[in-house]
Amino acid sequence: MNSLGILAHGPTPCPRPWADDPYTEAMRTGSGPLWLRREDGHRQRLDLERWFAPPDQADWTLLSRCLRRGLPTLDIGCGPGRLVAELQTCGLPALGVDITHTAVSRTRGMGGNALCRSVFDRLPRENRWGTALLADGNLGIGGDPSALLRRAAELLCHDGVLLVEVEPGDLDERVTVAVEDASGRSGPTFPWARLGAPATVRCALLAGFAPIDAWDCRDRHFLALRR
């Protein structure tokens, strides 16, 4: 048991995208490259090098907002855990959730609290998180940003804040993708989404959020949404 009152190990999920594909191996080895490959053949490279590195200047624009609020923080889709581990190093209660066992193991190895669960599973502290993070493209989880934002609202406390990384421009893209490695090996297909700030705000308003801030740093784009 830890400071958030959660067990050190969550339930074992059934095989699913991100947990039964080349992403699992990348989380184990700490190396890539990897891409999200769409059905039309277009590929988007995943920024594994940044995910495995210490938080950079753009990451710190997120972390500093969490630390200023001083409230327990949930990192949705925490990956190898650089954000949640840094928050805990700074003394802030935090929890990462990710469906990939190897990602959760890496997070725990860095000293971060993490559970191997989907954001749509039952989670600790529902309706009591002060801040939540959707960084590194995780607004795409499930391919339905509206459903994901509604779920985030359920997890946050009254006046809780969701910090979201968005795509540049007025993008609103819903696609089917698979994770692919350099050899061409890929995992199962799954729905994904990529939204710019205007589309994210439209979905957020319907989910009960109000935009309170927007900023850019190092070619990355962010919004703060208050429940």
Side-chain angles (χ1 to χ4, degrees), residues 11-30:
T12 301
C14 296
R16 58 182 117 177
W18 302 102
D20 188 28
D21 59 23
Y23 181 75
T24 301
E25 182 65 17
M27 290 296 105
R28 182 178 299 111
T29 63

Side-chain angles (χ1 to χ4, degrees), residues 137-160:
N138 283 330
L139 183 59
I141 289 171
D144 185 346
S146 295
L148 180 58
L149 290 170
R150 289 194 299 270
R151 177 57 175 150
E154 293 174 350
L155 294 168
L156 287 164
C157 65
H158 177 68
D159 286 341

Side-chain angles (χ1 to χ4, degrees), residues 80-104:
R82 73 188 189 285
L83 300 179
V84 67
E86 190 66 39
L87 289 173
Q88 290 185 240
T89 297
C90 293
L92 188 70
L95 173 68
V97 294
D98 201 286
I99 64 171
T100 306
H101 282 288
T102 49
V104 169

Side-chain angles (χ1 to χ4, degrees), residues 62 65-66 131-135 161-165 215 223-225:
L62 295 171
R65 284 167 168 80
C66 296
T131 311
L133 298 172
L134 279 171
V161 170
L162 177 65
L163 304 177
V164 187
E165 185 168 353
W215 70 98
L223 293 174
L225 308 171

Side-chain angles (χ1 to χ4, degrees), residues 34-226:
L34 290 181
W35 292 266
L36 288 182
R37 185 182 183 91
R38 300 190 323 201
E39 290 181 313
D40 63 7
H42 176 80
R43 298 197 307 178
Q44 175 195 357
R45 184 158 177 166
L46 298 175
D47 200 356
L48 289 176
E49 293 81 3
R50 179 169 56 78
W51 299 352
F52 285 110
D56 63 14
Q57 182 181 1
D59 291 330
W60 272 104
T61 68
L62 295 171
L63 296 171
S64 62
R65 284 167 168 80
C66 296
L67 294 169
R68 282 200 300 269
R69 288 178 58 75
L71 299 173
T73 297
L74 180 68
D75 185 3
I76 299 169
C78 65
R82 73 188 189 285
L83 300 179
V84 67
E86 190 66 39
L87 289 173
Q88 290 185 240
T89 297
C90 293
L92 188 70
L95 173 68
V97 294
D98 201 286
I99 64 171
T100 306
H101 282 288
T102 49
V104 169
S105 294
R106 275 194 168 263
T107 301
R108 292 173 178 162
M110 295 177 66
N113 290 327
L115 287 178
C116 192
R117 295 185 193 176
S118 164
V119 64
F120 295 102
D121 293 337
R122 184 71 180 172
L123 296 175
R125 300 182 59 91
E126 298 223 2
N127 200 235
R128 291 186 291 153
W129 292 100
T131 311
L133 298 172
L134 279 171
D136 303 326
N138 283 330
L139 183 59
I141 289 171
D144 185 346
S146 295
L148 180 58
L149 290 170
R150 289 194 299 270
R151 177 57 175 150
E154 293 174 350
L155 294 168
L156 287 164
C157 65
H158 177 68
D159 286 341
V161 170
L162 177 65
L163 304 177
V164 187
E165 185 168 353
V166 298
E167 301 293 333
D170 192 6
L171 181 68
D172 189 347
E173 179 179 83
R174 319 298 169 91
V175 292
T176 299
V177 299
V179 178
E180 182 178 88
D181 65 17
S183 72
R185 184 173 69 96
S186 62
T189 59
F190 56 96
W192 195 248
R194 298 173 67 222
L195 270 64
T200 302
V201 168
R202 290 193 293 269
C203 290
L205 291 171
L206 294 174
F209 286 100
I212 58 172
D213 196 8
W215 70 98
D216 302 333
C217 184
R218 300 186 67 172
D219 296 322
R220 293 168 64 191
H221 312 275
F222 305 94
L223 293 174
L225 308 171
R226 186 183 299 278

